[in-house]
């Protein structure tokens, strides 16, 4: 790959700024000063910029605290999309949402450019539980806990047993589901006669939403964060 792409993938500088760095003679490849942005390198090349040795990363994993009003896609004709919220420094990675949240759902959404990771995360075989906080139009009842725990039949799938936790305010609940089917939480609540008026995803597996992230903000996930999933 070209040296300018390599350096921007490492998050050191944008492609445009890399050209300036090369011009200034501060980029070396295996100890030799690089003269052209078109020069080819691979993952094994030792690349230094301003004396700093770069660590190559092809993939990036981002946590977004998704706001309402955004579609979980990379493009939409009508609405803003979650990738509009990606900071400049990550734009060149061309990330996409891993799974989906409805336009009116907030909370934890992972964005990545790693297709294999996305496939595993969304595979029903992996049984990765997603935890949601929901506010309802009516109080949830104790009897509903068992109904959720028994699994639910829908037209196109059978929901695995889900965990329902009723908080001190019975109109506010936590729900854990194993799948991520279209409007699943809303449909499960409707099944017991309640309408979801607010929904936020708070965890995927053991990875919880960083509550210090403001709505619409993004942070990069580390390997340790990903292991928690
Ligand atoms: N279930 C829903 O109903 N909506 C979401 O956005 C996620 C899960």
């Amino acid at each position: 790959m070209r040296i300018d792409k390599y350096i921007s993938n490492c998050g050191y500088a944008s492609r445009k700024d890399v050209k300036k760095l090369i011009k200034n003679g501060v980029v070396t490849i295996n100890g030799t000063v690089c003269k052209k942005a078109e020069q080819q390198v691979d993952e094994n090349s030792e690349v230094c910029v301003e004396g700093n040795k770069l660590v190559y990363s092809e993939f990036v994993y981002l946590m977004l605290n998704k706001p309402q009003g955004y579609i979980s896609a990379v493009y939409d004709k009508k609405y803003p999309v979650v990738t509009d919220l990606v900071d400049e420094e990550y734009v060149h990675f061309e990330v996409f949402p891993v799974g989906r949240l409805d336009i009116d759902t907030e909370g934890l959404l992972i964005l990545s450019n790693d297709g294999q990771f996305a496939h595993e995360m969304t595979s029903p075989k992996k049984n990765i539980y997603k935890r949601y906080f929901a506010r309802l139009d009516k109080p949830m009842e104790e009897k509903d806990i068992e109904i959720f725990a028994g699994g639910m039949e829908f037209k196109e799938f059978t929901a695995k047993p889900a965990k329902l936790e009723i908080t001190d305010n019975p109109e506010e609940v936590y729900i854990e589901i194993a799948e991520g089917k279209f409007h699943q939480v809303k449909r499960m609540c409707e099944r017991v006669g309640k309408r979801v008026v607010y929904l936020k995803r708070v965890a995927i597996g053991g990875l919880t939403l960083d509550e210090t992230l403001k709505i619409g903000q993004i942070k990069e996930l580390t390997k340790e964060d990903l292991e928690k999933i």
Side-chain angles (χ1 to χ4, degrees), residues 100-106 132 177 179-187 196 199 201:
R100 278 160 178 244
L101 291 177
D102 294 339
I103 187 164
D104 57 352
T105 302
E106 287 179 4
Y132 293 86
I177 56 173
E179 310 83 359
K181 301 286 184 193
F182 188 59
H183 294 337
Q184 184 171 340
V185 170
K186 293 173 185 161
R187 288 160 80 192
V196 172
L199 188 61
R201 181 153 68 191

Side-chain angles (χ1 to χ4, degrees), residues 29 40 45 75 90 97 110-111 116 126 131 139 147 157 160-161 177 185 194 208:
I29 303 168
Q40 295 290 315
S45 307
Y75 169 77
Y90 297 113
I110 296 176
L111 305 173
Q116 176 64 26
K126 293 276 168 180
R131 183 172 169 87
I147 300 175
F157 79 106
K160 291 190 184 130
I177 56 173
V185 170
K194 282 89 184 171
T208 51

Side-chain angles (χ1 to χ4, degrees), residues 20-227:
K20 283 188 210 149
L21 292 167
I22 293 172
K23 221 169 146 195
N24 294 343
V26 293
V27 176
T28 60
I29 303 168
N30 299 327
T32 305
V33 174
C34 165
K35 302 233 165 63
K36 287 193 191 125
E38 297 80 32
Q39 197 163 328
Q40 295 290 315
V41 283
D42 60 35
E43 307 85 80
N44 302 317
S45 307
E46 190 184 284
V47 176
C48 296
V49 182
E50 298 171 317
N52 303 304
K53 191 171 162 206
L54 302 191
V55 179
Y56 182 71
S57 54
E58 184 181 3
F59 298 125
V60 72
Y61 309 88
L62 306 172
M63 173 187 283
L64 166 67
N65 187 356
K66 180 191 170 295
Q68 294 184 348
Y70 284 76
I71 302 257
S72 298
V74 295
Y75 169 77
D76 190 80
K77 267 195 251 169
K78 202 164 155 199
Y79 294 102
V81 291
V82 289
T83 49
D84 295 342
L85 297 161
V86 172
D87 303 325
E88 175 68 31
E89 65 181 300
Y90 297 113
V91 166
H92 66 277
F93 281 105
E94 299 180 343
V95 297
F96 51 84
V98 176
R100 278 160 178 244
L101 291 177
D102 294 339
I103 187 164
D104 57 352
T105 302
E106 287 179 4
L108 173 53
L109 185 67
I110 296 176
L111 305 173
S112 180
N113 56 347
D114 182 346
Q116 176 64 26
F117 168 78
H119 178 73
E120 284 177 22
M121 285 286 296
T122 50
S123 162
K125 286 188 206 127
K126 293 276 168 180
N127 243 348
I128 299 172
Y129 271 78
K130 290 114 199 158
R131 183 172 169 87
Y132 293 86
F133 168 79
R135 195 168 297 125
L136 310 163
D137 68 337
K138 289 190 204 77
M140 208 46 111
E141 296 150 273
E142 287 296 316
K143 67 174 174 49
D144 298 327
I145 295 176
E146 248 181 77
I147 300 175
F148 273 67
M152 282 185 200
E153 285 287 334
F154 291 98
K155 212 162 58 189
E156 80 284 17
F157 79 106
T158 303
K160 291 190 184 130
K163 190 172 162 200
L164 168 65
E165 278 170 48
I166 306 176
T167 68
D168 292 343
N169 172 358
E171 288 177 9
E172 295 187 344
V173 296
Y174 287 94
I175 295 170
E176 283 179 29
I177 56 173
E179 310 83 359
K181 301 286 184 193
F182 188 59
H183 294 337
Q184 184 171 340
V185 170
K186 293 173 185 161
R187 288 160 80 192
M188 292 179 85
C189 291
E190 258 166 41
R191 182 61 63 82
V192 293
K194 282 89 184 171
R195 192 168 61 82
V196 172
V197 294
Y198 171 80
L199 188 61
K200 176 178 178 180
R201 181 153 68 191
V202 294
I204 300 175
L207 178 71
T208 51
L209 176 67
D210 179 344
E211 292 290 348
T212 66
L213 264 191
K214 295 200 184 87
I215 291 180
Q217 268 187 344
I218 277 185
K219 78 164 194 185
E220 190 169 342
L221 293 170
T222 60
K223 275 212 178 75
E224 293 75 52
D225 290 327
L226 296 172
E227 275 157 19

